[in-house]
Amino acid sequence: MLRIIVVDDEELAAMRLMRILSERNEPSEAVMFLDPLEAYEYAKAHPVDVAFLDISMPDVNGMQLSKLLTDIQEKIKIVFVTGYDAYAVRAFELNVLDYIMKPITAERLDVTMKRLGTSHSESAAVKPSLEIFLFNGMTVSLRTAADTREAVKLRSPKTEELFALLVCKRSVHREEIVDTLWDGLVPDKAWKNLNSTLYYVRKAINAAEQRCEISVTGNEIRIDSDTLYCDLYEFERILKEIRRDPERHTPLFKRAESLYTGPLLRGKAYEWAGEYALSLERQYTELLEIQARHYRQRGQLLQALNCYEEILKLDAIREDVHGEMILVFLELGRKNDALRQYRQLETMLRAELGMEPDAKIKELLQ
C-alpha cells in the first residue's frame, strides 16, 4: 500500500488532489496537511512513500520541506505541485520525482503515478499484502503483486471467528480462545478443535506466499500485525494521534471518518466482540464531537452540523447534540431549521421514552 502525504496551504487545491487520489483504483493511504510543519511532524513518526508538496507556502516552502523530509526519510519520493512554471527548472535540479502544474488533472496524475510505480516497484510490488476490513462486516482479501484483489476463503464460520478474534486482540491465550469459541466441550475435544481450526486459518491466509505469521509461544497465539493491513489498526492509530493534539491533526479526522463505515463486525454474532464494538462506536462519537467543536471554533458551522448529524445516526436521542444543532442553526440565522430540529427531538423522545425535551433546549428557541 502506497503511503502518501499531500501538503498545500490552499485547502481547495489540496482537497482536489486528495479526491483525485481517492478515485484511483490502487491501494493507497493519503493524509492531507495545510501546515508544512504538521506534515513534517507526521513524517517523523510515520513512514511515507511519496509527498506531494506545494512549492509556494508561507514560513516553510515546498523546497525547504522537501529537504526536511528527505533528511528523516531518505527514500521518500517528492512531487512538487505549483501554479508557477518558473519553479520547474529548480525543482528538477533537486532530483525530485515529478513537477506538476496546477490545476491538477487525473490524466496528469497518471503520468506521475506511472513514474512512481517504476521507482517504487522494488518496495511496493514484490510482496502481496493481506487486507482485512472489520468495520461494517468482515472482508479478507489478498492484494497481489499484479495489483489485483483476491478474496481469501476461510473454511467455516468457526475459522472466520478464530481469525477475527486473533486480528482484533492480536495476542490471545489458548484457554481464552477455547472458553470463547468452544465453551461446553470436553477439554480434549476443545483443544483438538482449536488446533485444527488454527491450521485452516494459517492455510487460508498464507495463500500465494503471503506469509502472514501466526506464532504460538507457550500458551499465547499471536498474529503479526505488521504483515497485514487492517482498517481497525489504522483507525485506532489515528485516534491516538488525534487525542495527543486535536488541533495539529485536523487532516486525520476525515481519514478516521472514511475508515468507520459501520459497527465493528456488523452481521457477525460474536459475543466477545459486542463490548469492543460499542467501545469503538463511543470513541468514534467522541471523535465527531471533537471535530464539531473544532469546526465551530473556526466558524465552519456547516461542517459542524455534518458532524452532529453523524452522531445522531448512531444515537438519535442525544438531547445535547440536538441542542448543539439548534444553536448552530440559530447562529446561521436558520430559525425554521432550528424549530424543525426541536420538533424532531420532541417527537422522538415522546415515542421512545415517553418524555419531553429538557426545558433548557426549548428556551434556546425563545
Side-chain angles (χ1 to χ4, degrees), residues 17 24 57 86 95 104 165 199 240 269 304 309 359:
L17 178 51
R24 295 182 60 82
M57 293 186 289
N95 194 31
I104 298 174
L165 182 66
Y199 166 79
K240 288 179 182 177
E309 287 170 357

Side-chain angles (χ1 to χ4, degrees), residues 159-227:
T159 311
E160 285 188 2
E161 186 170 4
L162 175 58
F163 184 57
L165 182 66
L166 288 172
V167 173
C168 286
K169 297 202 172 186
R170 297 168 175 80
S171 179
V172 196
H173 197 279
R174 281 175 174 269
E175 290 185 2
E176 181 183 347
I177 297 175
V178 168
D179 290 342
T180 302
L181 273 62
W182 292 283
D183 185 33
L185 288 185
V186 296
D188 286 349
K189 179 66 173 175
W191 291 113
K192 183 178 180 181
N193 282 355
L194 170 57
N195 291 334
S196 61
T197 306
L198 184 60
Y199 166 79
Y200 287 116
V201 168
R202 281 172 159 160
K203 184 177 180 181
I205 67 173
N206 284 321
E209 299 183 351
Q210 162 57 28
R211 299 191 183 93
C212 176
E213 184 179 352
I214 294 179
S215 59
V216 180
T217 306
N219 285 318
E220 290 288 325
I221 300 178
R222 178 188 300 273
I223 189 165
D224 185 356
S225 58
D226 293 333
T227 59

Side-chain angles (χ1 to χ4, degrees), residues 300-306 309 324-342 364-365:
Q300 296 174 293
L301 301 183
L302 294 178
Q303 290 91 329
L305 279 175
N306 289 334
E309 287 170 357
E324 294 298 334
M325 289 189 72
I326 289 169
L327 282 172
V328 173
F329 280 132
L330 292 174
E331 289 177 41
L332 289 167
R334 293 163 54 178
K335 188 169 183 180
N336 286 339
D337 288 325
L339 285 167
R340 189 179 300 113
Q341 193 69 38
Y342 179 80
L364 296 174
L365 298 167

Side-chain angles (χ1 to χ4, degrees), residues 43 45 57 60 70 80 97 112 117 136 143 159 167 174 176 202 208 219 247 251 262 267 272 285 313 339 343 352:
M57 293 186 289
V60 178
T70 51
F80 282 138
L97 178 75
T112 300
N136 204 36
R143 178 71 72 170
T159 311
V167 173
R174 281 175 174 269
E176 181 183 347
R202 281 172 159 160
N219 285 318
E247 294 299 319
W272 56 268
T285 301
K313 288 178 184 178
L339 285 167
R343 298 302 178 201
E352 298 293 331

Side-chain angles (χ1 to χ4, degrees), residues 73-85:
Q73 296 197 38
E74 185 179 350
K75 294 183 179 179
I76 193 171
K77 304 299 179 185
I78 303 294
V79 178
F80 282 138
V81 182
T82 186
Y84 301 97
D85 220 0

